[in-house]
Amino acid sequence: MKTAIKNILKGFGGFGAYIVITIIVPAIVFTAIKNIEFQGIPVGLSQYQYERIVYWLTAFGLLVSGFAFLNYSSPKQSIRKGVFALVQVLVNCLYIWSYKFSGGTDVQMFIFQPFKSYYELLLGGSIGSEDFFKAIVNVLLQDFLVLYMGIYFLTIIIKIYDLIDFTLNRDKIRAERMIK
Amino acid sequence: MFFLLFDALQNFVNVMGGIMLFFFPFLSPIGAFMVAWISAVLSVAPQFNIAFYIVICVILVIAGIFINSYWPGDKPLAEESKYDEDLLEEQSTDTFEEEGE
């Protein structure tokens, strides 16, 4: 019973950590991006974009955290830990990709600033586009995410190897665990 | 702009960029494959129904608690316990025989 409680507590530790990493921190970051204002005009995310991103991050963040609980609560080097760790990595892929398709990687900002103060511009008589500094900042992380997915594929291979190792050496691992 | 101000950070960014450019041709096709299966899974994922994901998360946590309560992983191997049982049986038989004599 003591081991069971220890396992469950470890599981809740992992669960809490993943809730913070996958839901709370991204939600705070995207809320900050949404609230970015330039001279009183919002330049960050629209309300629809923000809700869509936060929805998908929360949805997959919950799944990742759920599997993190199962993974972290499983005994060390057990077959079920191998299985849950593999599933968690696969769900993590969905989570990371949700940044892409929800629009989290395509943040666009428009900067439109006069070179002089509006008062000076008005004194000048005419206002033209040459009086303004214009810029569009695109944060496109799609290629970066594809590369990251490639790296994640290697993680999946490692998890599959772990699972095979845990299965083949089951008796030895269990005997070692009993000694400890 | 921030990165351009500091040489150390600029060098770090260059090194990271170099590593990423080196690995890009190898890892990018694998990434594209990953994107294909992920897109297939996401096409069937329920949209704008957060309760569905909350329920799944709760089910996973409860399942984890039950699994760990019944199989905490601290029981000896089945073969070992069978060996112990055999040993006990042998010992009890020996004792019985000794008493019989």
Side-chain angles (χ1 to χ4, degrees):
Chain A
M1 196 63 192
K2 198 181 165 188
T3 317
I5 291 166
K6 207 173 145 188
N7 287 348
I8 291 166
L9 286 176
K10 269 198 274 181
F12 275 114
F15 180 77
Y18 270 88
I19 286 280
V20 171
I21 295 166
T22 60
I23 300 175
I24 296 172
V25 172
I28 291 168
V29 170
F30 281 105
T31 307
I33 292 173
K34 182 188 165 254
N35 294 332
I36 290 174
E37 285 188 359
F38 190 77
Q39 293 186 341
I41 303 161
V43 290
L45 300 164
S46 68
Q47 185 64 26
Y48 173 76
Q49 276 179 311
Y50 170 75
E51 282 176 9
R52 193 177 156 80
I53 292 165
V54 169
Y55 168 77
W56 283 113
L57 294 185
T58 311
F60 288 118
L62 284 168
L63 289 187
V64 172
S65 305
F67 281 106
F69 178 84
L70 289 171
N71 179 16
Y72 284 88
S73 64
S74 302
K76 208 176 174 184
Q77 293 184 310
S78 61
I79 295 173
R80 74 167 183 255
K81 191 179 186 76
V83 172
F84 291 140
L86 179 61
V87 176
Q88 195 198 338
V89 171
L90 295 175
V91 179
N92 238 332
C93 291
L94 297 175
Y95 172 80
I96 291 163
W97 195 244
S98 70
Y99 275 95
K100 163 72 190 83
F101 79 86
S102 66
T105 56
D106 304 333
V107 177
Q108 200 174 48
M109 293 177 190
F110 297 96
I111 298 169
F112 197 69
Q113 187 185 20
F115 289 116
K116 301 170 194 170
S117 71
Y118 283 104
Y119 179 71
E120 283 174 316
L121 284 174
L122 286 169
L123 282 179
S126 63
I127 302 171
S129 64
E130 67 278 1
D131 294 319
F132 290 88
F133 168 76
K134 298 173 285 296
I136 300 171
V137 180
N138 282 312
V139 184
L140 298 170
L141 297 169
Q142 192 171 340
D143 285 344
F144 180 76
L145 268 183
V146 170
L147 179 67
Y148 197 76
M149 282 302 189
I151 297 166
Y152 235 82
F153 180 79
L154 302 177
T155 314
I156 292 171
I157 298 292
I158 292 166
K159 294 290 174 192
I160 292 170
Y161 172 80
D162 277 349
L163 183 57
I164 294 167
D165 178 41
F166 296 165
T167 312
L168 293 178
N169 299 313
R170 184 171 175 256
D171 295 347
K172 195 182 160 193
I173 290 166
R174 228 168 159 192
E176 280 173 5
R177 203 189 301 149
M178 288 307 113
I179 294 163
K180 284 173 190 172
Chain B
M1 200 65 188
F2 178 73
F3 288 110
L4 297 174
L5 293 173
F6 303 99
D7 286 343
L9 285 172
Q10 177 70 53
N11 290 335
F12 174 74
V13 170
N14 287 341
V15 169
M16 290 304 289
I19 292 167
M20 285 178 74
L21 279 174
F22 176 75
F23 281 109
F24 194 81
F26 313 108
L27 293 176
S28 188
I30 301 168
F33 161 73
M34 295 282 287
V35 169
W37 76 258
I38 288 168
S39 303
V41 173
L42 289 174
S43 62
V44 292
Q47 294 199 7
F48 295 99
N49 185 8
I50 199 76
F52 173 81
Y53 296 96
I54 293 170
V55 168
I56 288 180
C57 182
V58 170
I59 288 170
L60 290 174
V61 171
I62 292 169
I65 293 169
F66 271 107
I67 289 168
N68 279 293
S69 303
Y70 285 103
W71 299 284
D74 59 352
K75 284 178 187 159
L77 283 169
E79 284 172 16
E80 277 182 14
S81 45
K82 193 173 175 286
Y83 174 77
D84 290 345
E85 280 169 18
D86 292 345
L87 204 71
L88 279 170
E89 263 179 36
E90 274 176 24
Q91 281 175 348
S92 59
T93 321
D94 292 344
T95 323
F96 183 73
E97 280 171 3
E98 277 170 18
E99 278 173 4
E101 281 169 10

